Amino acid sequence: MEKLYKDRIIKFSMLTDQEILDARQLLQDAVNPLYFFDDDTDGLNSFLVLRKKFGRGIGIPIKTSPELDVSYASNVDEIQPDLVVILDKPLVAKEFFERVKVPIMWVDHHPIIAVKNIHYFNPRVHDEKDARPTTYQCYLIAGEESWESLLGCIGDWYLPDFYNDFLKKYPDLLKPATDVGEVIYGTRFGELTRIFMFLLKGKPDEIRKNISTLLKIQTPYEILDEATPAGKYLAKRIEKPMKEYKELLDKAIKEATDENLLVYIYPGSKNSYTGELANELFYRFPKKLIIVGREKNGEIKMSLRSNLLKLPTIIEKALVGIKGYGGGHDQASGGCVSQEDFERFIKNIKDEITNKI
């Protein structure tokens, strides 16, 4: 299906015009919305796009993964919003819906979840293959392009149809590209994908201040060039996690061998960088299945990446007889297994991918 939107041909389904208008109306009418968003670049920028456009609301990143669980209902009790907005979360606990008595708007791009009595916006309802990032859906709802809408898409490994508009606007930050990895790891704009992730690390009060400061940022130069007090503050905040990340990345690269599987596990005393590390290793070693895990509380929480395999299927088979869970997108998934079962899980993975890569 092709559709004309803002002078562009979109080559497959998306949110319908009516859905976009309905979502926009909900946010225009809300006086005190409360946003819950996934703690990654897509989730954060989805919030920033809508919050900056509609000018109201509090944002809370969700650290429980992959589910928005019932514990977050206490935030609803405390803040007393007139609308709850859920962004980029693949799962929401049934108990959360039961506890929350105000209207709920859920914008997502993960596999469809059937839930009654909420406002659900997901392009997969119309085309199962349309998994464009939640930030893209928020760009449609906002009705205008912003550098945050581009950043959220890029951070979720998607090159949007409006990329060339920003290439003209920021030729010093971007470059012509057909591969999103070239943008993330080969441009100054791409550096922001990691900076935004690092701004979601740390203590809750630090993260809240980072998010509040991001709402004051008008251009990417403020952060990249430390051109304003807000930009300087955010640049300072990411110094420690950036150093920690680079140390872990160097160690992970040294783990690479001739095998078609790269596994790197690091201690829970460090911040969680599994997703960021897995993404960069995925770019550097495109022919390998990447598994990056972090040890914590007797478990290993992992991010998995592969260009050549459908990861949810591989993970499901590898988890047979294993205490744990996992799933996600074909090329980017997550999982968690008990530390005592990890070696068996890896053996199962190796058995599954033999002769497939």
Side-chain angles (χ1 to χ4, degrees):
M1 177 179 179
E2 292 189 348
K3 187 170 184 178
L4 182 64
Y5 182 74
K6 294 181 70 174
D7 301 323
R8 292 191 181 83
I9 295 293
I10 304 297
K11 293 185 177 179
F12 41 87
S13 184
M14 61 178 185
L15 297 182
T16 66
D17 290 342
Q18 189 59 54
E19 286 175 323
I20 292 167
L21 291 173
D22 290 345
R24 191 177 296 161
Q25 193 65 54
L26 284 167
L27 292 165
Q28 287 173 340
D29 292 344
V31 175
N32 183 34
L34 173 60
Y35 293 85
F36 292 108
F37 57 89
D38 197 22
D39 67 331
D40 65 5
T41 310
D42 187 20
L44 174 56
N45 281 283
S46 294
F47 164 69
L48 293 174
V49 167
L50 296 182
R51 175 61 175 77
K52 286 189 173 185
K53 172 63 179 180
F54 298 99
R56 296 180 293 276
I58 294 171
I60 298 176
I62 304 306
K63 295 294 183 180
T64 53
S65 181
E67 184 179 68
L68 170 59
D69 65 38
V70 70
S71 67
Y72 286 92
S74 62
N75 296 110
V76 180
D77 297 336
E78 177 186 354
I79 295 169
Q80 294 290 301
D82 56 351
L83 177 69
V84 169
V85 184
I86 303 169
L87 300 172
D88 196 36
K89 289 303 295 182
L91 298 171
V92 179
K94 178 183 177 183
E95 294 79 9
F96 179 88
F97 292 124
E98 292 172 346
R99 278 279 307 277
V100 174
K101 302 305 181 184
V102 300
I104 296 174
M105 169 181 171
W106 186 0
V107 186
D108 193 32
H109 69 128
H110 295 94
I112 300 166
I113 302 293
V115 182
K116 295 180 180 180
N117 302 320
I118 72 165
H119 304 278
Y120 185 65
F121 303 99
N122 187 332
R124 287 183 182 240
V125 170
H126 310 293
D127 185 341
E128 177 57 31
K129 296 180 180 179
D130 188 355
R132 283 174 289 183
T134 300
T135 310
Y136 191 93
Q137 316 313 319
C138 293
Y139 141 72
L140 296 177
I141 293 166
E144 60 188 30
E145 298 168 357
S146 65
W147 64 271
E148 292 96 342
S149 60
L150 176 63
L151 183 62
C153 289
I154 296 297
D156 213 49
W157 288 75
Y158 177 72
L159 205 62
D161 46 88
F162 53 84
Y163 178 80
N164 286 337
D165 294 350
F166 286 93
L167 178 59
K168 295 173 185 176
K169 188 173 183 178
Y170 302 122
D172 54 331
L173 302 184
L174 293 163
K175 67 180 182 181
T178 55
D179 174 29
V180 71
E182 298 174 29
V183 182
I184 294 175
Y185 300 110
T187 70
R188 290 194 70 205
F189 190 86
E191 293 175 24
L192 290 167
T193 62
R194 292 179 290 289
I195 289 172
F196 272 50
M197 285 300 300
F198 298 151
L199 291 173
L200 291 170
K201 312 294 184 187
K203 299 176 181 178
D205 59 334
E206 294 173 336
I207 296 172
R208 282 193 294 270
K209 189 169 182 180
N210 292 343
I211 294 170
S212 177
T213 305
L214 279 171
L215 288 169
K216 301 175 184 177
I217 298 292
Q218 299 300 312
T219 76
Y221 297 106
E222 292 183 58
I223 302 173
L224 293 171
D225 295 337
E226 301 183 35
T228 62
K232 288 178 181 178
Y233 171 81
L234 294 175
K236 185 70 175 177
R237 273 287 296 120
I238 60 99
E239 285 180 357
K240 182 178 178 181
M242 182 70 81
K243 180 181 178 182
E244 194 169 62
Y245 172 80
K246 287 182 176 178
E247 290 174 350
L248 291 172
L249 178 64
D250 289 343
K251 292 178 181 177
I253 290 171
K254 291 177 181 177
E255 296 289 325
T257 66
D258 292 335
E259 285 190 321
N260 54 12
L261 176 66
L262 194 166
V263 180
Y264 176 63
I265 308 300
Y266 66 96
S269 57
K270 306 289 186 181
N271 280 316
S272 177
Y273 301 105
T274 59
E276 298 92 328
L277 289 167
N279 283 340
E280 186 153 356
L281 292 169
F282 174 63
Y283 178 71
R284 289 171 179 258
F285 303 100
K287 294 183 179 181
K288 295 181 183 294
L289 167 57
I290 307 297
I291 300 178
V292 178
R294 178 172 176 252
E295 301 172 354
K296 191 173 182 182
N297 300 326
E299 296 179 325
I300 295 182
K301 294 187 176 181
M302 300 168 288
S303 291
L304 300 88
R305 302 289 186 271
S306 174
N307 255 329
L308 307 172
L309 301 165
K310 289 190 175 182
L311 288 172
T313 302
I314 298 294
I315 293 169
E316 181 181 4
K317 292 179 179 179
L319 282 171
V320 173
I322 299 288
K323 183 180 179 182
Y325 60 85
H329 302 296
D330 285 351
Q331 292 185 334
S333 289
C336 178
V337 301
S338 66
Q339 202 162 341
E340 62 184 17
D341 284 341
F342 183 69
E343 286 189 16
R344 189 152 56 99
F345 174 77
I346 294 299
K347 181 182 181 301
N348 291 349
I349 289 280
K350 288 181 177 180
D351 291 343
E352 286 298 321
I353 67 175
T354 298
N355 300 322
K356 292 182 181 179
I357 300 184

